[in-house]
Amino acid sequence: MSNLEKIVVSDDYSLKELSIEDKEIVLDAAIRCADYFMLHDNKLPEMSDVERIFESLPPKKEYEDKWVFGLFKDDYLIGVIDVVKDYPVNSQWIIGLMIVDKTYRGNGLGATVHSALTSWAKTKGAESFRVGSIKKNLGGNRFWLAQGYQKIKESEISFTNLTHKTNVMVLEL
C-alpha cells in the first residue's frame, strides 16, 4: 500500500488513493452524498454504484490511468474523487466524479481540494482538466465555473436510469 498516492490538502484534510477493498467506507460516504446520486440517477447509491466508481473506464483507457481518491478529514472519509489521465487527449485529465459529504460543503473546502488535486496532476504531466456537469446540477456548475473552467460544449450522458444534458468544461492549468 505504500505505493498508493496521497495528497496533503491542509492540516486537517488529505486525499488518499483508494482501492476496491475500501468499497464499504466509500458506500457509507456515497450515502451521505445521496443528493448527488438522486440528482444524477434518481436513486440512492448502492454497492454496484460504488463498484462502478472503481471499475468504469473511458474508452481505450487502462486502470493504470485512473485514480480513485478518498477525501479524508483526519481518518474519516468525507468525499470521493475519480480522475483519469490523458482523456480524451494526452495531457488533458478528466474528473469523472467529485462528491463531498454535504455537511462539509459551502466552506471553500471543494476549492481547496481542487487546487491541491490540480497541483498534484501538474506534477504528473496534466496541462488541463475536463469535467462534465449535468445542467440540472446548478451548484456543481457554479462550483466548476468558479474554479475557472470554461464551457466548451454540451453533450448527453446516460446513467443507469436517466440521461442528462451535460455542460462539458475545461480548465487550462
Side-chain angles (χ1 to χ4, degrees), residues 28-47:
D28 182 56
I31 290 168
R32 287 180 278 115
C33 299
D35 58 328
Y36 170 88
F37 292 90
M38 291 300 296
L39 181 65
H40 284 74
D41 217 16
N42 198 32
K43 70 181 196 73
L44 294 174
E46 302 169 349
M47 187 57 75

Side-chain angles (χ1 to χ4, degrees), residues 56-68:
S56 66
L57 286 169
K60 300 180 181 177
K61 296 310 296 178
E62 303 293 330
Y63 289 110
E64 298 80 36
D65 300 326
K66 178 176 178 142
W67 292 268
V68 177

Side-chain angles (χ1 to χ4, degrees), residues 134 153-159 162-168:
I134 67 170
K153 68 178 183 175
E154 287 185 15
S155 66
E156 285 195 350
I157 294 180
S158 294
F159 294 87
L162 300 174
T163 298
H164 293 283
K165 290 187 190 256
T166 304
N167 293 319
V168 178

Side-chain angles (χ1 to χ4, degrees), residues 5 12 19 21 26-27 33 37 53 61 77 81 93 109 117 119 122 133-134 140 167:
E5 294 284 345
D12 296 328
S19 69
E21 289 81 27
V26 173
L27 178 59
C33 299
F37 292 90
I53 292 169
K61 296 310 296 178
L77 183 66
I81 302 171
W93 291 27
L109 176 60
L117 184 66
S119 293
K122 284 169 60 172
S133 183
I134 67 170
N167 293 319

Side-chain angles (χ1 to χ4, degrees), residues 1 7 13 18 21 23 29 34 38-40 59 61 85 105 111 117-118 122 128 131 144-145 147 169-171:
M1 284 219 161
I7 303 166
Y13 298 96
L18 301 172
E21 289 81 27
K23 64 185 180 181
M38 291 300 296
L39 181 65
H40 284 74
K61 296 310 296 178
K85 72 175 185 175
R105 296 180 201 160
L117 184 66
T118 56
K122 284 169 60 172
S128 63
V131 296
W144 296 117
L145 292 170
Q147 305 318 303
M169 298 181 243
V170 172
L171 173 69

Side-chain angles (χ1 to χ4, degrees), residues 1 3 8-9 45-46 67 71 73 96 108-109 115 137 140-141 143 152 157-158:
M1 284 219 161
N3 62 340
V8 175
V9 174
E46 302 169 349
W67 292 268
L71 172 59
K73 180 176 185 347
L109 176 60
S115 177
N137 187 349
N141 286 303
F143 172 80
I152 60 167
I157 294 180
S158 294

